[in-house]
């Protein structure tokens, strides 16, 4: 098949740069000085027998991080970031991930390399076999498996544009076979540029045969982790490939299919045998060394290069019979892998030719990619110290490879702990959803982001799906419950009839009528508020009665937010948010209106700026707290207390900038969960039950936390919230954080989350 | 107790005109010519054994309409209107309600007056006893029982302002006892003005003793429906009242407490005995004749008068010992009841004195009521022909009382059937909710309107509450389901993965990005629409590709409605709305865009005006269809077809004024439920199930209704709606109406609604 005219056909153009990617990355757990740990797998993580993202490789210390299949490089790296963040912060804070392919110094006794303590005994037996067959030390090397799938529409278009093949499955399989063979032939090219295991650490070889270090890649050399020589599998045709593997297993040369450690595997169904009936769906590149200079072991540029390389391997024709072609590649790669990292490669001319051909390929297909990466490869070709192996070797010379690994590892560890409330990769989403996703990844839920802007997730576990919006809107509540809560009049009627104390009040849908009703409220303490709103907008409190003008202004303010308002009895006391999940109060929070404390030197404006400097304060619910604003509302509240923005409050004087206590308007959150006795919590639970709510924020006024809840006027229910913020409970300004997101997961999957 | 200074205390003022009202009204079912029917109780009505609003009195033909307790006169009359509407339209369309207290001509054989065929045998036995004790004929008289309760805060304030009573319960009971005694003394006053049974019809007396007709009120006279003379109950004190009744029952003079037919009953708990421990809560006035000039048997003015009269009876002191005072009243009433309706009453002077005293009372308390009603009473006093009895008598003279009754009855019947989709009393609410309430009243649900503007109802039946908004938002759906449907991208992802055909498309949250993506769509048929919206706003369809400018304009239009838009594959075919409830499609509707059909004479503008003249067309979902608008969108669509507003389309030429087919924008609704085979309906049900929806409108594109649903491209799911309009299915423009509201009630209460 003459493939180049097909690939240059303009019909193919929109699909060439589309692909699906997935990464599996192994990493050893080490101490912060880079010593292999002796601890068990982190308990916080969900069971690795079924965990979709976090598993164990050979050893108990060897984490395997697996991304979902993604449609773009950026999405791939978001997931890499999120899974790394979750792994780091689920491990003992004294531990971190080793950023290199070659393990740190191994134990003196081989037996002290602990085989992964998996639940499934078959898995343990398999690892015991590997230990016997290859030795435990060799299994301790780590790397990246890169799964790559061409866009399916591209292959379909290609099929339409050729005439040689009548069978689409066969065509698709042969496409991947060609790429696989070419990859096997040219993989010395990636070994030269991205090989990153120049040196071994103590006891890796332990007296066995070893290369003359430094090299380009121990892992990709004959001294690396590969099958015994009697394992021979051809890539001539899919039938022969499948047959060979099956025969190797039958003959006992492989214990299982998965022991086939080729640099490229063809992937389709669950087992190799499936490839007899199904086309190859993607290929797995297994020869990528960990790049210690990258937090996730591989750079975006490397992935982008691999994509173009895959296309190029499809484009470029083979120049020998399949088995010879592959065998030549094996020889070349072994040569390059064992070269000194600072030496010019023996494949220098061939590498230059490939780069020129790649440039030609890009030009002919008109691929909209920068050729900067090829310029870089050329520089690296001329200057081996710029290759990964070269850099690692040179940096190791300054101290040691162990030191380099520890230092790099520590920098990634620090980054993961720097803002422990965020989930790297998804920091643009609302914080509650970030925390929720963290917990879901940790416990082993499959997550799909159905709509990022809308914080809309799909969770899968135990073969069951749940949809979740904002981390707290779920199938556990009924449709009518949030509609009841949204309508404060309806909420109050229902609660009042159920025997709860709620503020008396009146509803107005007519602004004039509300104004005229002043007389009825003139001597009463009242709250004027929009009938339905969130975040405390448009609310005015008159704790000591209101004059007619102020009342009228409050009415107008409330009407700006809604077309109906409530004028309600003001219940004296402090308002607390009780967060009810299922039949329990999981957190109680005191919210203090936006405030600053004077130091006798700085103006209010300056104090606000200082307080806002805290990285915990941000905007739009992406951080645990919100920045204090200096808008009309704040100036109004200050003026009422006799302050201006440039007033300088006295030492220790607390100045409030808001009447309302919402965290959304810069308030402080103070956890009070343990301060309340069970009787108040029971009241909140019963409030939620009266509204048939499974997840709900109950706002309760309590004048005296220590008075029993049955004391007259001990409490009043102000309202119930159907979309209560969770992150302010998880990371309060003061007090203990409460992991509500995990409680929601438990509510959704009581048997899955322990 | 000196009550007048208390009632004039300004603290009482805000409460005097507050009260709670309830009405029970009996009416005979008659033919449209006013003959008593022989049919059974209407089958459409829920079981009268527990129906809160519609029951049967003595005879099978004798409907009893019962309002809930209401807080205002206007609310009382809204419920009267709604219950009447429901009763009229639940009866055989050949039947109507007899508007008079005196029944029409009775059957020759007393046995042909059929005792109500109630489920509960006790109830039947009781009526058999009444038949034996009083005769069936006498039981056929009808009237109104008026339940009146003073505002509780008023009685509490009164209690606080006096010193004589220490016990609040005793105080409250004595208040009602005084009013009851005074009412018994002065009830001749209401008999004079509102007595409305001057004449009997054939065989009511059937040869028994009868008055010399015409009189003022046969029903309120000794010839009316009253206990036998040996039934004597005192109103001296509550203990004696309770004792007397219990003794009458013990002695067999009353078969049950409820046989005590006094003009006033004191009401508190479930049985009279409860009044020993609980205060009287309200009084029941039982002597109100049906006013045939009022559609509901009583006028607002009469109710308002009764309220003032109750206050006046509380205000005015008794002038004799209790029993004497009551006995004097009995004598006076018998006298007045039997006077000729056109004669001056013998109580003329006393009546004048009472009116003067009432004026004085109103002045002293400063009651904010018009004294017009008293002016009217004075006129009626001077001119007996203006009393109700006088008017009925005079009108009957013109033809006959039978004719008058038939004529009045027919006018109320016609009104009830005039707009059979509406529910009188609640026509300000959305039509779907009106229809829903009609069905709920019909079947015997207790209904509370929690929020009228918000169409928020509480239903109670079988001791279980359900909350319902817009008639279709219920506890049967989960919270996440409408959130999924609200998000078209999420909906599509879920449906696509579940294997449904949905239009392919792209989402844009950036206007510029949407503009730049034109190339991808240039040759495709597309729909550009806001990501979440209702009522078809902001949607543009390009059924044959779009030029760049039109595309850009469509993008901008969609972005006006939402901050994210979808550009989707346009699926050719016709869009149908499948309404799924539970596991069934209950209705399928074709919606045709707003249109007019030319007659070769009138302009489009005129044709629209004609079409809009249909009373079925209104605004804001208060009618089955919406008026066609003539705004920018319509002018744009016309212009695209080469029309202006004053163009005159040819005979039979259909001109569309909208691209979208929503009924909300003036479209026509055509029922297609029976046109679709089960396989399409099953698709819609499965779509709803994939979204976990119990109540849902599935919009499906079908190019050919007759093609099997499994044919390739036989269908496409456009979207699912979580707040689908029901009224357009109940009363379509063409085709059979589908009573979805009843299906929702069945879904909520499967055992209650048959």
């Amino acid at each position: 098949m003459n493939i180049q005219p097909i690939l240059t056909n303009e019909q193919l153009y929109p699909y060439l740069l589309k692909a699906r990617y997935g990464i599996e990355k192994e990493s050893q757990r080490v101490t912060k000085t880079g010593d292999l740990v002796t601890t068990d797998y982190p308990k916080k993580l969900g069971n690795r027998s079924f965990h979709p993202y976090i598993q164990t490789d050979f050893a108990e210390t060897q984490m395997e991080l697996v991304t979902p299949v993604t449609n773009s490089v950026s999405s791939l790296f978001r997931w890499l970031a999120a899974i790394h963040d979750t792994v780091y912060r689920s491990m003992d804070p004294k531990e971190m991930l080793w950023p290199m392919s070659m393990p740190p110094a191994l134990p003196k006794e081989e037996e002290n390399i602990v085989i992964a303590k998996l639940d499934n005994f078959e898995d343990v037996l398999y690892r015991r076999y590997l230990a016997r067959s290859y030795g435990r030390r060799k299994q301790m090397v780590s790397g990246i498996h890169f799964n790559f799938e061409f866009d399916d529409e591209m292959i379909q278009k290609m099929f339409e544009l050729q005439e040689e093949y009548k069978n689409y499955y066969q065509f698709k399989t042969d496409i991947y076979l060609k790429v696989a063979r070419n990859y096997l032939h040219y993989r010395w090219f990636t070994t030269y540029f991205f090989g990153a295991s120049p040196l071994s650490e103590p006891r890796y070889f332990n007296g066995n045969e070893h290369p003359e270090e430094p090299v380009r890649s121990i892992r990709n050399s004959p001294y690396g982790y590969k099958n015994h020589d009697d394992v021979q599998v051809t890539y001539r045709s899919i039938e022969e490939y499948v047959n060979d593997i099956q025969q190797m297993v039958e003959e006992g040369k492989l214990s299982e299919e998965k022991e086939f450690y080729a640099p490229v595997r063809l992937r389709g169904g669950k087992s190799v045998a499936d490839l007899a009936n199904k086309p190859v769906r993607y290929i797995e590149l297994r020869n990528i060394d960990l790049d210690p200079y990258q937090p996730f072991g591989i750079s975006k540029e490397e992935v982008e290069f691999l994509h173009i390389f895959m296309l190029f391997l499809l484009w470029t024709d083979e120049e020998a019979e399949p088995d010879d072609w592959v065998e030549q590649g094996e020889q070349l790669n072994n040569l390059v892998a064992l070269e000194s990292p600072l030496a010019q490669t023996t494949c220098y001319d061939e590498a230059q030719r490939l780069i020129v051909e790649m440039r030609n390929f890009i030009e002919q297909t008109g691929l909209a990619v920068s050729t900067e990466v090829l310029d870089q490869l050329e520089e690296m070709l001329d200057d081996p110290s710029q290759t990964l192996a070269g850099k690692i070797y040179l940096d190791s010379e300054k101290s040691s490879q162990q030191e380099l690994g520890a230092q790099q590892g520590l920098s990634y560890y620090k980054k993961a702990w720097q803002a422990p409330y965020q989930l790297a990769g998804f920091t643009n989403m609302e914080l509650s959803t970030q925390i929720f996703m963290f917990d879901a990844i940790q416990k082993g839920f499959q997550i799909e982001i159905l709509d990022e802007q809308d914080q809309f997730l799909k969770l899968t576990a135990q073969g069951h799906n749940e949809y979740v919006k904002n981390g707290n809107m779920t199938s556990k509540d009924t449709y009518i419950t949030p509609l009841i809560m949204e309508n404060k009049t309806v909420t109050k009627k229902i609660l009042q009839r159920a025997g709860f104390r709620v503020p008396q009040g009146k509803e107005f849908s007519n602004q004039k009528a509300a104004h005229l009703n002043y007389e009825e409220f003139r001597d009463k303490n009242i709250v004027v508020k929009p009938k339905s709103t969130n975040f405390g907008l448009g609310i005015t409190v008159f704790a000591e009665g209101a004059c007619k003008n102020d009342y009228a202004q409050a009415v107008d303010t409330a009407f700006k937010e809604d077309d109906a308002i409530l004028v309600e009895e003001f219940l004296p006391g402090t308002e607390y948010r009780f967060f009810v999940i299922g039949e329990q109060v999981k957190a109680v929070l005191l919210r203090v209106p936006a405030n600053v404390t004077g130091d006798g030197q700085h103006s209010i404006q300056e104090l606000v700026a200082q307080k806002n400097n805290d990285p915990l304060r941000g905007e739009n619910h992406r951080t645990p707290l919100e920045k204090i604003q200096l808008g009309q509302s704040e100036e109004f509240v200050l003026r009422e207390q006799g302050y201006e923005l440039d007033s300088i409050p006295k030492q220790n004087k607390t100045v409030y900038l808001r009447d309302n206590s919402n965290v959304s308007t810069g308030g402080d959150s103070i956890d009070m969960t343990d301060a309340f006795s069970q009787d108040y919590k029971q009241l909140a639970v019963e409030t939620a039950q009266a509204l048939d709510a499974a997840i709900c924020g109950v706002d309760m006024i309590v004048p005296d936390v220590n008075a029993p809840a049955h004391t007259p006027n001990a409490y009043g229910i102000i309202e119930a919230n159907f979309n209560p913020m969770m992150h302010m409970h998880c990371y309060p300004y003061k007090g203990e954080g409460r992991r509500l997101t995990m409680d929601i997961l438990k509510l959704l999957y009581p048997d899955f989350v322990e």
Side-chain angles (χ1 to χ4, degrees), chain A:
Chain A
M1 180 174 51
N2 192 357
I3 209 158
Q4 298 196 356
I6 297 178
L7 283 175
T8 49
N9 188 305
E10 63 177 10
Q11 286 190 44
L12 240 61
Y13 180 74
Y15 306 105
L16 294 174
L17 287 178
K18 285 186 179 175
R20 307 220 301 162
Y21 317 90
I23 276 180
E24 298 155 44
K25 179 215 172 197
E26 301 144 3
S27 267
Q28 295 286 355
R29 280 187 293 129
V30 296
T31 65
K32 289 202 263 177
T33 50
D35 298 312
L36 209 60
V37 300
T38 54
T39 56
D40 282 352
Y41 192 76
K43 285 200 175 53
K44 284 183 181 168
L45 294 171
N47 193 321
R48 48 192 157 162
S49 306
F50 53 70
H51 202 300
Y53 308 125
I54 307 167
Q55 304 193 337
T56 327
D57 203 72
F58 172 79
E60 182 72 358
T61 53
Q62 201 167 10
M63 308 295 289
E64 185 172 347
L65 282 60
V66 184
T67 71
V69 180
T70 60
N71 289 312
S72 69
V73 177
S74 64
S75 172
L76 179 71
F77 276 80
R78 293 178 75 183
W79 278 102
L80 275 174
I83 296 168
H84 274 84
D85 235 23
T86 309
V87 168
Y88 277 115
R89 299 207 302 269
S90 300
M91 299 191 321
D92 187 315
K94 292 197 285 284
E95 299 182 4
M96 63 181 200
L97 293 179
W98 183 246
M100 296 196 158
S101 276
M102 295 310 289
L106 294 176
K108 285 194 184 117
E109 302 300 326
E110 182 150 4
E111 288 68 34
N112 288 342
I113 295 174
V114 183
I115 288 177
K117 301 170 180 173
L118 299 173
D119 283 357
N120 185 352
F121 193 55
E122 296 277 313
D123 295 337
V124 177
L125 286 180
Y126 173 63
R127 283 167 177 73
R128 286 189 191 163
Y129 159 82
L130 294 177
R132 282 193 307 276
S133 184
Y134 301 86
R136 299 189 181 195
R137 299 184 186 285
K138 232 171 202 180
Q139 301 283 344
M140 295 296 276
V141 75
S142 298
I144 277 178
H145 298 182
F146 178 68
N147 295 306
F148 179 85
E149 180 180 349
F150 287 117
D151 185 63
D152 206 48
E153 281 194 79
M154 176 183 108
I155 299 183
Q156 281 176 30
K157 287 270 178 226
M158 286 176 71
F159 180 68
E160 288 163 20
L161 290 168
Q162 58 84 47
E163 292 186 343
E164 193 178 327
Y165 286 81
K166 304 297 166 202
N167 181 306
Y168 177 66
Y169 278 15
Q170 185 63 46
F171 176 77
K172 190 169 173 182
T173 289
D174 281 2
I175 291 280
Y176 280 109
L177 268 174
K178 177 184 180 186
V179 172
R181 287 190 302 261
N182 265 340
Y183 191 73
L184 288 167
H185 182 84
Y186 291 115
R187 76 178 164 109
W188 58 266
F189 194 78
T190 57
T191 301
Y192 174 80
F193 294 106
F194 303 114
S197 45
L199 301 164
S200 66
E201 293 297 327
R203 290 176 297 282
Y204 179 72
F205 288 112
N206 213 31
N208 291 329
E209 228 181 313
H210 60 86
E212 202 169 318
E213 300 177 8
V215 297
R216 295 213 142 94
S217 175
I218 296 173
R219 181 169 164 270
N220 282 296
S221 80
Y223 303 95
Y225 180 43
K226 56 190 288 263
N227 290 117
H228 299 297
D229 291 341
D230 57 357
V231 174
Q232 294 293 339
V233 173
T234 182
Y235 288 76
R236 268 195 307 274
S237 71
I238 196 68
E239 293 78 15
E240 288 166 289
Y241 173 84
V242 171
N243 273 346
D244 279 1
I245 294 181
Q246 289 177 333
Q247 202 178 329
M248 295 293 127
V249 174
E250 264 171 46
E251 291 174 7
K253 291 174 184 163
L254 295 175
S255 73
E256 297 182 33
E257 287 172 12
K258 66 181 173 187
E259 194 194 335
F260 178 51
Y261 293 143
V264 171
R265 284 204 291 214
L266 300 165
R267 305 299 298 262
K270 280 187 182 172
S271 76
V272 170
D274 291 339
L275 293 178
N277 318 310
K278 282 184 179 179
V280 170
R281 219 179 70 229
Y282 65 96
I283 55 173
E284 179 188 357
L285 310 184
R286 299 166 53 86
N287 66 327
I288 317 290
D289 283 354
L290 294 187
D291 176 351
Y293 301 102
Q294 295 298 328
F296 317 129
I298 189 167
S299 67
K300 274 189 193 177
E301 292 70 23
E302 189 173 344
V303 170
E304 283 162 356
F305 162 76
L306 286 172
H307 185 161
I308 297 167
F309 198 49
M310 291 298 106
L311 285 170
F312 174 72
L313 298 178
L314 174 59
W315 162 273
T316 210
D317 286 330
E318 296 163 84
E319 290 163 29
E321 282 312 297
D323 290 348
D324 294 345
W325 191 242
V326 169
E327 179 53 29
Q328 286 168 23
E330 179 74 7
Q331 302 306 331
L332 289 170
N333 181 70
N334 287 348
L335 213 62
V336 173
L338 290 175
E339 288 170 347
S340 163
L342 299 181
Q344 194 188 61
T345 176
T346 44
C347 294
Y348 180 88
D349 293 343
E350 180 67 357
Q352 267 201 327
R353 184 185 68 81
L354 280 181
I355 294 173
V356 168
E357 284 190 12
M358 270 190 261
R359 286 191 195 280
N360 173 41
F361 157 71
I362 290 172
E363 202 182 306
Q364 289 207 38
T365 52
L367 271 198
V369 292
S370 155
T371 50
E372 213 172 295
V373 64
L374 298 180
D375 301 344
Q376 274 173 10
L377 294 186
E378 265 173 350
E379 274 181 47
M380 289 158 85
L381 192 57
D382 285 332
D383 176 5
S385 76
Q386 288 186 39
T387 63
L388 267 184
K391 279 165 76 179
I392 294 169
Y393 173 65
L394 285 173
D395 283 346
S396 300
E397 286 285 274
K398 292 175 197 157
S399 50
S400 69
Q401 184 177 265
Q402 167 83 16
E403 193 104 327
L404 172 66
Q407 178 193 313
Q408 290 300 105
L410 197 61
S411 72
Y412 309 139
Y413 167 91
K414 279 185 182 156
K415 191 134 192 277
W417 284 99
Q418 188 183 355
Y421 42 86
Q422 287 181 336
L423 180 64
F426 297 99
T427 53
N428 62 317
M429 295 183 79
E430 285 183 5
L431 189 58
S432 291
T433 294
Q434 291 182 49
I435 302 169
F436 186 84
M437 283 177 67
F438 178 98
D439 289 350
I441 294 174
Q442 185 181 69
K443 292 308 172 195
F445 286 89
Q446 243 177 296
I447 302 172
E448 188 185 352
I449 300 173
L450 292 175
D451 191 323
E452 193 162 326
Q453 284 188 318
D454 220 16
Q455 325 293 321
F456 221 124
L457 307 180
K458 176 183 174 183
L459 296 183
T460 306
Q462 300 176 308
H464 167 69
N465 299 331
E466 287 282 350
Y467 301 96
V468 179
K469 187 173 140 101
N470 290 6
N472 59 17
M473 297 159 153
T474 74
S475 70
K476 295 295 162 190
D477 274 304
T478 74
Y479 187 7
I480 198 70
T481 294
L483 296 172
I484 288 171
M485 294 190 206
E486 196 177 39
N487 187 315
K488 287 173 187 160
T489 301
V490 171
T491 304
K492 251 175 40 178
K493 278 188 185 172
I494 292 174
L495 290 180
Q496 191 161 26
R497 256 152 246 187
F500 294 94
R501 183 170 179 241
V502 294
Q504 304 298 313
K506 254 193 166 163
E507 181 182 332
F508 298 98
S509 51
N510 177 308
Q511 202 154 344
K512 202 169 168 187
H515 281 284
L516 288 173
N517 250 274
Y518 171 66
E519 294 304 324
E520 195 168 326
F521 305 119
R522 69 175 307 155
D523 300 323
K524 292 180 179 163
N525 306 332
I526 53 172
V527 187
V528 181
K529 58 181 175 180
K531 188 172 161 195
S532 27
T533 179
N534 246 322
F535 305 133
L537 294 170
I539 299 179
T540 313
V541 174
F542 295 105
E544 294 170 4
C547 75
K548 191 161 185 171
N549 267 349
D550 288 354
Y551 170 80
Q553 205 176 329
V555 164
D556 296 345
T557 303
F559 266 111
K560 271 183 202 145
E561 303 297 328
D562 198 359
D563 51 10
I565 69 161
L566 300 177
V567 182
E568 272 184 359
E569 177 187 5
F570 172 74
L571 302 183
T574 307
E575 185 183 321
Y576 300 91
R577 162 69 57 86
F578 287 67
F579 204 114
V580 178
I581 299 179
E583 293 177 359
Q584 280 182 293
V585 166
K586 294 292 187 182
V588 185
L589 200 75
L590 166 64
R591 289 167 295 172
V592 180
N595 66 82
V596 289
T597 304
D599 59 4
Q601 292 178 17
H602 292 91
S603 71
I604 290 174
Q605 190 153 21
E606 288 163 347
L607 292 167
V608 166
Q610 278 173 21
K611 196 161 181 175
N612 283 346
N613 239 343
D614 186 341
L616 293 181
R617 288 191 191 266
E619 272 159 7
N620 275 322
H621 310 122
R622 264 65 185 172
T623 44
L625 297 163
E626 297 289 304
K627 285 190 194 294
I628 301 173
Q629 303 299 313
L630 288 176
Q632 273 197 316
S633 304
E634 287 79 5
E635 290 194 36
F636 177 79
V637 171
L638 287 175
R639 212 170 309 127
E640 278 204 321
Q641 304 166 80
Y643 291 111
E644 298 293 333
L645 283 180
D646 54 7
S647 308
I648 296 175
K650 286 190 191 137
Q651 178 93 28
N652 295 326
K653 169 76 188 164
T654 300
V655 176
Y656 293 97
L657 291 103
R658 274 279 184 169
D659 276 335
N660 66 303
S661 59
N662 301 56
V663 167
S664 308
T665 52
D668 295 336
S669 51
I670 297 167
D671 178 71
M672 298 284 284
T673 314
D674 296 333
F676 276 91
S677 59
Q678 185 51 33
D679 53 351
Y680 282 100
K681 291 176 185 169
Q682 188 56 28
L683 265 176
V685 168
E686 285 168 11
T687 300
Q689 286 172 342
L691 302 169
D692 196 23
I695 300 165
C696 156
V698 175
D699 289 344
M700 203 188 290
I701 291 277
V702 179
D704 177 4
V705 175
N706 297 312
H710 55 79
T711 320
N713 298 343
Y715 80 95
I717 307 289
I718 299 299
E719 64 180 47
N721 298 274
F722 58 93
N723 181 16
M725 288 210 297
M726 295 194 290
H727 64 258
M728 65 186 183
H729 296 274
C730 297
Y731 294 94
Y733 183 66
K734 275 183 197 161
E736 190 182 330
R738 309 287 169 168
R739 204 69 181 187
L740 300 180
T741 42
M742 195 63 88
D743 292 314
I744 304 262
L745 286 169
K746 276 182 203 159
L747 184 76
L748 292 173
Y749 291 85
D751 304 330
F752 188 74
V753 182
E754 279 150 43

